[in-house]
Amino acid sequence: MSKQFDVIVIGGGPGGYIAAIRAAQLGFNVACIDEWKNAKGGPALGGTCTNVGCIPSKALLQSSEHYEQAGHHFADHGIEVKGLSLDMAKMIGRKDTVVKQNNEGVLYLFKKNKVTFFHGRGSFVASKDGVYDIRVAGTAEEVISAKHIIVATGSNARTLAGTPFDEETILSNDGALRMTDVPKKLGLIGSGVIGLEMGSVWRRLGADVTVLEGLPTFLGAVDQQIAKEAHKAFTKQGLKIELGVKVGEIKTGKKGVSVAYTNAKGEALSLDVDKLIISIGRVANTIGLAPEAVGLKLDERGAIVVDGDCKTNLPDVWAIGDVVRGPMLAHKAEEEGVAVAERIAGQHGHVNFNTIPWVIYTNPEIAWVGQTEEQLKAAGRAYKAGTFPFLANGRARALGDTTGMVKMLADAATDEILGVHIVGPMASELIAECVVAMEFRASSEDIARVCHAHPSLSEATKEAALAVDKRTLNF
Ligand code: FAD
Ligand code: NAI
């Protein structure tokens, strides 16, 4: 007889492993299946986020920022650096260590919470009398069963038609995070989140970086006042971003890659680079899951169809994270994982999609929550806006990092905060206060009346709130 569990989670990324832990906390007998292998063939829990996403990218963003600071900005503080050099192997090695620590952290959490881990690929076999059989194909093969299934199989990098990733010259996020030499010339297709983060890493380390973006607008989903400020900063740093291009034939040869494209003016050009990163979005992953074995419904783009509560078309089968609709973010996947585990336990798990923060970890960082000014205008909503520049913030001046601003948008009649948009130092941390405020449906006056530590970057948030009422104190 197959091993029986109450809940089987397929996928051990941030969605799956958090769902497994929460379900175990709620008293269920839980199994989690994940197929990711480390370099030695062993398990590497944590999914895309831990292995080739959030964690390694932030490790390299940090290392490359130190290099940039030492090379270009320490002198402003009176610190002379002579003989600055780069040990790429060490930098990549450090990143790998950070990844490993996180892999091991998840394994530890599974042991602590008594989640049974299976290393291998999980696929649907059949369902009978309300119980699902799942095949685990790892070093050995076995079938395990449960009443409740949570699918958290994540996503893969989207390929450009006719240009498969070889991870040597044509790179996805995977290859982009493990180059051991800095390419002289680096091309990127797509100036979205990965394009800007990876472009920043390799530019800081010395590559001549050009980003080709199909849309005519830079960061179209971002509040455009913020996006313009960020574009100015990236261009000043030397990141070349061409908007409104149409990418044509891509040829690889001994000398690298040649990308034929038409620019916004309609001129036919080519970009010749040593390596090319393609970052044009990600697609839901159900490879090997065998959804057809039980009739699990996918949409036309291959994502698992779910309702607002992450319920699929099958009873007691749930799906969360990148494999379903909504933003492809680790914290969104985690929130859905917790909510689904609680729903299985008969509780009222809830995810507020209006208060999911976004962060782009460039320098300056870009972070936002809620609606942009463009969205409010399009919806015909009457609003008030307040901005405060970091240039007028004492802590930012002391840091030597005064690029950007905090922008707050509030309802014209009720003053409820509708969105906060930040470009500048530590935007990733500053946004948390705004998420909490919006979650509690605070007004801009609430933030304006809260005591913020001095000198701190968070005072810029308070001042932006004051600016909504046209009464900044320091600008
Ligand atoms: P995943 O993390 O993709 O995990 C899915 C897991 O399921 C994988 O381990 C996979 O091997 C496993 N799996 C798939 N199919 C099967 C199967 N049949 N059987 C067994 N196992 C299976 N998000 C942020 O919020 N912040 C960031 O800073 C950030 N940075 C990113 C940087 C990069 C370069 C990339 C690519 C992504 C980044 N993301 C970031 C997005 C984030 O990584 C994803 O949103 C998140 O990982 C989604 O979690 P998930 O659990 O849904 O899927
Ligand atoms: P993205 O959706 O952020 O950006 C893709 C960009 O490529 C868009 O600007 C799009 O217009 C452009 N594009 C698409 N097809 C094109 C083509 N044929 N030619 C030229 N340009 C084209 O996707 P990206 O950067 O690949 O990242 C995928 C996802 O991973 C993100 O949307 C995000 O959900 C997640 N992520 C999150 C991070 C974070 O939270 N800090 C960091 C990195 C990734």
Side-chain angles (χ1 to χ4, degrees), residues 10-17 33-36 44-55 57-58 120-123 152-156 173-174 177 193-194 197-198 282 285-289 320-323 327-334 359 361:
I10 308 177
Y17 90 74
I33 312 168
D34 188 87
E35 64 177 344
W36 207 295
L45 274 162
T48 301
C49 168
T50 301
N51 292 295
V52 292
C54 325
I55 300 300
S57 61
K58 266 81 254 178
R121 172 167 285 183
S123 53
T153 47
S155 63
N156 292 316
N173 54 295
D174 182 9
L177 288 161
V193 198
I194 295 181
E197 289 190 354
M198 288 299 99
R282 297 181 61 82
N285 169 42
T286 54
I287 298 168
L289 182 68
I320 59 171
D322 280 13
V323 77
M328 290 188 171
L329 295 172
H331 42 283
K332 176 262 193 185
E334 291 179 17
V359 178
Y361 294 82

Side-chain angles (χ1 to χ4, degrees), residues 367-380:
W368 72 96
V369 57
Q371 304 200 62
T372 63
E373 196 162 354
E374 290 73 28
Q375 285 171 325
L376 293 176
K377 275 188 185 143

Side-chain angles (χ1 to χ4, degrees), residues 68 191 196 199-200 203 208-211 218 226-243 362-364 366 403 423:
E68 169 115 329
S191 70
L196 293 175
S200 294
R203 183 204 57 74
D208 176 3
V209 178
T210 304
V211 191
F218 180 63
I226 298 296
K228 284 201 178 88
E229 191 77 10
H231 188 267
K232 216 167 38 181
F234 299 148
T235 306
K236 200 169 150 204
Q237 290 163 4
L239 202 63
K240 286 171 248 163
I241 305 167
E242 283 221 43
L243 300 174
T362 42
N363 185 3
I366 304 167
T403 312
V423 54

Side-chain angles (χ1 to χ4, degrees), residues 335-356:
E335 292 303 312
E336 287 183 334
V338 168
V340 163
E342 292 178 351
R343 284 172 197 138
I344 291 173
Q347 299 181 1
H348 300 280
H350 178 67
V351 181
N352 184 355
F353 283 91
N354 294 323
T355 53
I356 294 176

